[in-house]
Amino acid sequence: TISLEEFLEMAQAPRVQMYFMALGLQASEVCELFDLLDNGNGVISYDEFCTGVLRLKGQARALDVVTMMRDCRVIINKCDQLECR
């Protein structure tokens, strides 16, 4: 797993920046990317990273689509919590 601090440090590496650029990500979106890939426990696992980054590839502004998917996941989790009450 990798924490936000480690992720930010890793994102400074030129090779990683080139990879992010290839995905169409700006340097200012690194924190947002971490939040999208994180399942809520504050760290990103290898599987979360690979699955999430693969979703970012594509013609559409994939980061926006993944943001919406994350927001939907949060809403579904809250609905499930309400249902359990």
Side-chain angles (χ1 to χ4, degrees), residues 9 13 23 29 36 49 52 59 66 72 75 78 81-83:
E9 184 178 325
L23 291 173
E29 296 173 318
L36 291 175
F49 181 81
Q59 290 181 318
V66 174
C72 288
I75 291 169
K78 289 186 182 203
Q81 290 173 0
L82 288 173
E83 206 172 77

Side-chain angles (χ1 to χ4, degrees), residues 41-78:
N41 62 356
V43 294
I44 299 173
S45 70
Y46 177 79
D47 289 336
E48 288 172 330
F49 181 81
C50 291
T51 302
V53 168
L54 288 176
R55 287 183 183 152
L56 292 173
K57 288 186 164 186
Q59 290 181 318
R61 179 70 178 143
L63 187 59
D64 296 332
V65 174
V66 174
T67 299
M68 290 176 53
M69 290 173 61
R70 190 237 6 231
D71 292 345
C72 288
R73 188 174 64 239
V74 169
I75 291 169
I76 289 169
N77 287 340
K78 289 186 182 203

Side-chain angles (χ1 to χ4, degrees), residues 4-62:
L4 175 59
E5 294 78 22
E6 294 167 325
F7 190 74
L8 291 172
E9 184 178 325
M10 175 200 68
Q12 299 300 315
R15 189 172 177 176
V16 174
Q17 289 178 358
M18 286 177 25
Y19 183 72
F20 285 164
M21 285 175 50
L23 291 173
L25 294 171
Q26 305 296 321
S28 61
E29 296 173 318
V30 173
C31 285
E32 185 177 353
L33 175 62
F34 183 90
D35 288 340
L36 291 175
L37 299 177
D38 179 20
N39 68 2
N41 62 356
V43 294
I44 299 173
S45 70
Y46 177 79
D47 289 336
E48 288 172 330
F49 181 81
C50 291
T51 302
V53 168
L54 288 176
R55 287 183 183 152
L56 292 173
K57 288 186 164 186
Q59 290 181 318
R61 179 70 178 143

